[in-house]
């Protein structure tokens, strides 16, 4: 198979990064990959969750953001750029990634499960971008693990990724608890108002 110069440049970048021996503070903790930029609207939930939890996006390996916790984002197509997918998974550990979130759509949504096989033992959280992608994302054989969320739930995929990281980083556990407290407050506030206003008025003013 021929390989475009642009894809080769990305492969070279990943391979050279894997040999840099950068510190944990400099490397991305979470990698987000998606099969196409047409998946981005669905995968944007992962960006939203991570930034809400204080992560910053690393876009230049030589100039990482201030935040201790960072993520990176790439389009990697299992079918159109299999060598890039391989390089991404194979270099994940040496580039400092602790978890990968992989999303793909269509009926042959192979990026999450193939990335999980290549990056093993780095955990991969699969996001089926469409309902019809669910079976191909979750259908891994015994011994080849993949964690997956329901179709479109990239926000939850990011929360799960941070949960995994939080076992080694108490400050992330505190951020997850604070996020959950905010959710509880939301339910508490709305429940109190519904109860006190009564159903009819609450519904009208909603
Ligand atoms: C999958 O094919 C991608 O993950 C995407 O969801 C779908 C369609 O890709 P495009 O044709 O929009 O690039 O591999």
């Amino acid at each position: 198979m021929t390989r475009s110069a642009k894809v080769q440049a990305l492969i070279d970048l990943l391979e050279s990064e894997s040999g840099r021996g950068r510190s944990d503070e400099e490397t991305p903790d979470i990698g987000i990959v998606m099969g196409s930029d047409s998946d981005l609207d669905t995968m944007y939930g992962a960006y939203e969750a991570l930034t809400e939890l204080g992560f910053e996006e690393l876009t230049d390996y030589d100039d990482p953001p201030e935040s201790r916790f960072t993520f990176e984002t790439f389009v990697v197509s299992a079918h159109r750029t299999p060598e890039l997918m391989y390089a991404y998974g194979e270099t994940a550990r040496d580039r400092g990634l602790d978890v990968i979130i992989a999303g793909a759509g269509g009926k042959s949504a192979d990026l999450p499960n193939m990335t999980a096989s290549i990056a093993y033992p780095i955990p991969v959280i699969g996001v089926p971008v469409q309902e019809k992608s669910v079976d191909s994302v979750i259908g891994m054989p015994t011994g080849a693990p993949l964690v997956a969320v329901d179709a479109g739930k990239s926000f939850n995929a990011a929360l799960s990724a941070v949960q995994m990281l939080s076992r080694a980083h108490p400050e992330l556990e505190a951020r997850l608890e604070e996020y959950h407290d905010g959710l509880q407050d939301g339910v508490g506030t709305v429940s109190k108002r519904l109860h006190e206003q009564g159903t009819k008025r609450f519904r009208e003013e909603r």
Side-chain angles (χ1 to χ4, degrees), residues 74-89:
F74 283 99
V75 169
V76 176
S77 171
H79 304 117
R80 290 169 281 203
T81 61
E83 286 135 323
L84 178 58
M85 173 185 67
Y86 196 88
Y88 194 87

Side-chain angles (χ1 to χ4, degrees), residues 30-151:
I30 298 174
I32 301 175
V33 286
M34 62 197 84
S36 168
D37 64 327
S38 67
D39 299 328
L40 188 56
D41 286 349
T42 302
M43 295 303 289
Y44 192 66
Y47 173 90
E48 289 181 310
L50 292 177
T51 50
E52 185 158 346
L53 291 169
F55 283 64
E56 285 187 88
E57 187 166 5
L58 191 159
T59 56
D60 179 350
Y61 293 122
D62 291 324
D63 185 19
E66 292 278 298
S67 174
R68 162 63 189 85
F69 298 105
T70 59
F71 63 97
E72 64 172 14
T73 316
F74 283 99
V75 169
V76 176
S77 171
H79 304 117
R80 290 169 281 203
T81 61
E83 286 135 323
L84 178 58
M85 173 185 67
Y86 196 88
Y88 194 87
E90 199 185 38
T91 60
R93 191 167 188 270
D94 289 342
R95 294 191 305 104
L97 295 177
D98 290 311
V99 193
I100 296 172
I101 297 169
K107 277 189 175 176
S108 289
D110 295 318
L111 179 67
N113 42 47
M114 288 310 299
T115 301
S117 295
I118 299 161
Y120 183 88
I122 303 287
V124 174
I125 304 172
V127 181
V129 166
Q130 297 163 309
E131 287 287 344
K132 66 182 174 189
S133 322
V134 171
D135 285 353
S136 67
V137 170
I138 65 176
M140 291 285 274
T142 302
L146 173 88
V147 182
V149 294
D150 199 4

Side-chain angles (χ1 to χ4, degrees), residues 153-168:
K153 296 277 196 235
S154 64
F155 194 97
N156 280 358
L159 289 180
S160 298
V162 179
Q163 283 180 293
M164 291 176 190
L165 291 175
S166 75
R167 306 318 300 148

